[in-house]
Amino acid sequence: VSEPEIDVLVVGGGPAGLAAALELRRVGVARVMVVDREREAGGVPRHTAHTGFGLRDLHRLLSGPRYAARYVALAEAAGASLRTGTSVTAWTGPCAVGLTSAAGVETARARAIVLATGCRERPRAARLVPGARPAGVFTTGTLQQMVYLRRQPIGRRAVVVGAEHVSYSAVQTLAHGGATAVAMVTEHPRHQTFAAFRWVAAARRGVPLLTAACVTRIIGRRRVEAVEVTDLAGGGTREIACDTVVFTGDWIPDHELARRGGLAMDPATRAPRVDEALRTSARGVFAAGNLVHPAEAADVAALGGRHAAHGVLAFLDRGAWPQRAALPVLCEPPLAWASPSAIVDPRAPLPRGRFLLRTSAFRPRATLELRQDDRVLWQRRYRTLVPTRPIRAAVADLSAVDPHGGALRFALAGEPP
Amino acid sequence: MAIAEYVVETLAGAGLALRRRDTFQRARLPDLGEAAVRPYQRADLIAANGDYGRIVCHCERVTRGEILDATRATIPARTLDGVRRRTRALLGRCQGFYCFAEVAELVAGATGEPLPRLLALETP
């Protein structure tokens, strides 16, 4: 068998993939190739026009498009080869994939692969929202591409489904595209973004926020004409006239390639199960970024990519891969997921020294615990846990973990089992 | 098809004189199933036209070439729903999160339909 032509193949040229490639080149890995299926690399920040990017990884404040362009330039300057307009369509071997591009159909073999395929918002169909199927139903990602990348018309009156951070970004995008957000609808009792961002995006514009409510029907023949909103407490319904509906957030990792490769999956994140070094269950295959924590800010995804690069380097140097199955990291309700979703070596560093978690419901004054079997290994009090917002569990010391014990479990103290 | 035969019979019975037309151009729809090899997998097609290697809808792996073909077929697709049904574009798991804007631009360019009409913001 001949040597692979690439050392590391990175699938996905967003912040995580580009940061991984950049770091791999920086530590001296010779042949690093990034493939991205879009015509331009950079990932989601390409069409996220507001500022707030780059603080934690590049130590400067940039808009999304500038941040994306900067990472592309950095990765190229570092000597990573970037192939855009190239889709990975299949696995052709343990560390080999099939590619399709305008240049033809090829295979690429690497010594290691980093999956950095990102995540997407849950679309209307997957939320099982009943009603007609007229034009005018989008996600924030689509809306941003229409407005910022292609200057397409988006309607005049929009209802935004969700009240998390990205939902307010959608309100800003609508305003930029000449549409008014006439209502925001969330199933939760409160919005989930920062008060300041809410004011900048929506409160100042007087966008009404309908809490404990849910869109239960879409009405319209060719274009959306209205939505029916149901009050979850009382069960009453009302119609809101609009020509656009934007479904925001509720992220799903773009895990198709991981699943095709038969990688062990974590049911909570719906991502490939990764350990502290961001190794998946397949030898030589790593996963990083919003694929494994849907969704964090771009700079957190990038730092995850950087962390994965060090795991990749260790693997390339020593060829060592865990023999023992990883201990899964699970969550008890109302906690929704934790990432990384497994631990192999309790002494090895976590990405940024912490687990990232989500809760599915608000919890004031909560005590988060990490348990194994009947032992509490770590705990910390939080003022409030907010759905869709990152919960950071900086478990500094995992040395009490029994590698032969049961799964690690995050739970809230005093929560009924 | 049985329905077509029935229609022909009924029309003839109603007194309409029907003639076979030799110049009739059959409308052929592309094979949308997974049983046959899809254009994105075909080196020969891509070598002849790079657009068959440019995947636009990543979930359903629909190429730029197939979308353009749909708008240029014997009975051309003129709407986004038409392109959806001809090609599967926009109908995958992401429902257009990644590709809606690009598909809309491509179809608008190929059909000459202005975007507000294609997006049903104006009635035709």
Side-chain angles (χ1 to χ4, degrees):
Chain A
V1 181
S2 61
E3 271 290 292
E5 58 274 24
I6 311 165
D7 290 317
V8 185
L9 175 72
V10 179
V11 183
L18 291 173
L22 181 59
E23 189 69 0
L24 284 162
R25 286 291 304 142
R26 205 184 61 78
V27 297
V29 176
R31 300 163 305 174
V32 179
M33 184 164 99
V34 182
V35 290
D36 195 283
R37 62 194 190 179
E38 300 294 336
R39 255 178 295 180
E40 301 222 8
V44 165
R46 279 176 309 136
H47 48 75
T48 310
H50 58 75
T51 186
F53 289 81
L55 274 182
R56 281 168 286 201
D57 53 344
L58 301 177
H59 308 295
R60 62 192 72 211
L61 192 62
L62 298 166
S63 73
R66 282 181 176 278
Y67 177 81
R70 187 163 177 87
Y71 257 112
V72 171
L74 286 171
E76 279 182 331
S81 90
L82 241 69
R83 282 197 52 183
T84 55
T86 305
S87 304
V88 175
T89 56
W91 295 86
T92 56
C95 257
V97 294
L99 304 174
T100 286
S101 70
V105 180
E106 316 153 66
T107 57
R109 281 200 307 138
R111 292 165 65 205
I113 288 183
V114 179
L115 300 179
T117 48
C119 65
R120 61 177 189 269
E121 294 164 291
R122 192 181 304 276
R124 178 246 176 125
R127 301 181 196 222
L128 307 178
V129 177
R133 289 181 292 174
V137 180
F138 305 114
T139 50
T140 317
T142 301
L143 188 75
Q144 288 174 345
Q145 293 181 51
M146 293 177 76
V147 170
Y148 295 119
L149 294 187
R150 297 176 194 273
R151 320 238 175 267
Q152 295 173 345
I154 52 162
R156 277 164 208 94
R157 290 168 55 86
V159 167
V160 174
V161 181
E164 56 180 284
H165 212 60
V166 65
S167 321
Y168 290 89
S169 169
V171 170
Q172 280 186 310
T173 306
L174 285 164
H176 192 89
T180 308
V182 293
M184 299 179 81
V185 183
T186 176
E187 297 174 18
H188 291 291
R190 289 188 290 285
H191 73 82
Q192 304 107 52
T193 191
F194 303 103
F197 191 50
R198 171 172 148 70
W199 192 84
V200 167
R204 177 172 54 93
R205 300 183 214 275
V207 182
L209 173 63
L210 309 179
T211 56
C214 164
V215 169
T216 44
R217 193 153 62 100
I218 290 177
I219 300 154
R221 261 179 56 78
R222 296 188 66 248
R223 181 81 188 192
V224 174
E225 290 158 25
V227 293
E228 178 193 82
V229 175
T230 299
D231 173 20
L232 292 174
T237 62
R238 61 192 277 196
E239 276 185 24
I240 301 174
C242 59
D243 57 17
T244 300
V245 187
V246 189
F247 287 92
T248 65
D250 199 354
W251 303 94
I252 310 169
D254 218 40
H255 56 203
E256 215 55 29
L257 192 59
R259 294 177 73 106
R260 267 177 190 259
L263 305 186
M265 303 296 287
D266 167 46
T269 51
R270 297 182 171 82
R273 175 156 280 155
V274 285
D275 66 16
E276 68 282 351
L278 300 177
R279 289 174 292 221
T280 69
S281 62
R283 185 184 167 82
V285 181
F286 296 73
N290 279 344
L291 169 62
V292 300
H293 44 61
E296 296 287 340
D299 51 0
V300 173
L303 291 170
R306 202 183 282 177
H307 184 86
H310 291 274
V312 172
L313 182 68
F315 170 68
L316 294 180
D317 281 351
R318 299 195 285 279
W321 198 259
Q323 296 299 308
R324 203 175 45 233
L327 280 176
V329 178
L330 308 176
C331 282
E332 303 285 347
L335 299 174
W337 56 254
S339 183
S341 47
I343 290 294
V344 167
D345 178 1
R347 289 152 309 164
L350 294 165
R352 302 176 64 227
R354 62 189 69 167
F355 289 97
L356 290 165
L357 293 91
R358 287 289 188 284
T359 176
S360 57
F362 281 91
R363 284 291 184 277
R365 290 175 299 284
T367 300
L368 178 63
E369 294 183 347
L370 177 63
R371 304 172 186 159
Q372 185 182 31
D373 302 319
D374 293 331
R375 296 178 303 140
V376 174
L377 306 177
W378 173 91
Q379 62 172 207
R380 200 199 129 181
R381 282 178 61 80
Y382 292 78
R383 203 158 55 107
T384 327
L385 300 183
V386 180
T388 77
R389 283 247 289 268
I391 302 166
R392 303 173 184 96
V395 185
D397 183 12
L398 280 166
S399 60
V401 170
D402 173 6
H404 305 285
L408 299 178
R409 287 175 191 276
F410 277 106
L412 299 185
E415 223 29 79
Chain B
M1 270 203 304
I3 292 175
E5 282 171 15
Y6 171 78
V7 168
V8 168
E9 249 173 54
T10 311
L11 287 174
L16 189 71
L18 295 167
R19 277 181 298 109
R20 174 175 287 278
R21 202 168 81 190
D22 293 327
T23 54
F24 177 71
Q25 211 183 352
R26 226 172 230 287
R28 289 197 69 89
L29 292 180
D31 189 353
L32 291 180
E34 293 286 337
V37 179
R38 298 276 307 277
Y40 79 88
Q41 298 166 306
R42 287 184 53 185
D44 57 331
L45 268 187
I46 301 172
N49 179 355
D51 277 350
Y52 292 109
R54 295 190 173 95
I55 298 180
V56 174
C57 165
H58 305 289
C59 302
E60 295 298 319
R61 296 179 175 180
V62 183
T63 61
R64 185 182 160 90
E66 291 163 272
I67 293 171
L68 291 177
D69 284 349
T71 64
R72 294 173 191 149
T74 317
I75 303 171
R78 308 282 303 167
T79 63
L80 284 176
D81 277 343
V83 169
R84 278 187 175 97
R85 286 188 283 262
R86 305 287 183 95
T87 66
R88 294 167 41 167
L90 304 172
L91 290 177
R93 56 189 177 273
C94 92
Q95 293 280 303
F97 174 91
Y98 292 107
C99 71
F100 181 88
E102 183 169 357
V103 172
E105 189 170 287
L106 201 55
V107 174
T111 60
E113 287 283 315
L115 266 169
R117 243 164 60 186
L118 205 58
L119 301 173
L121 284 164
E122 287 168 10
T123 42

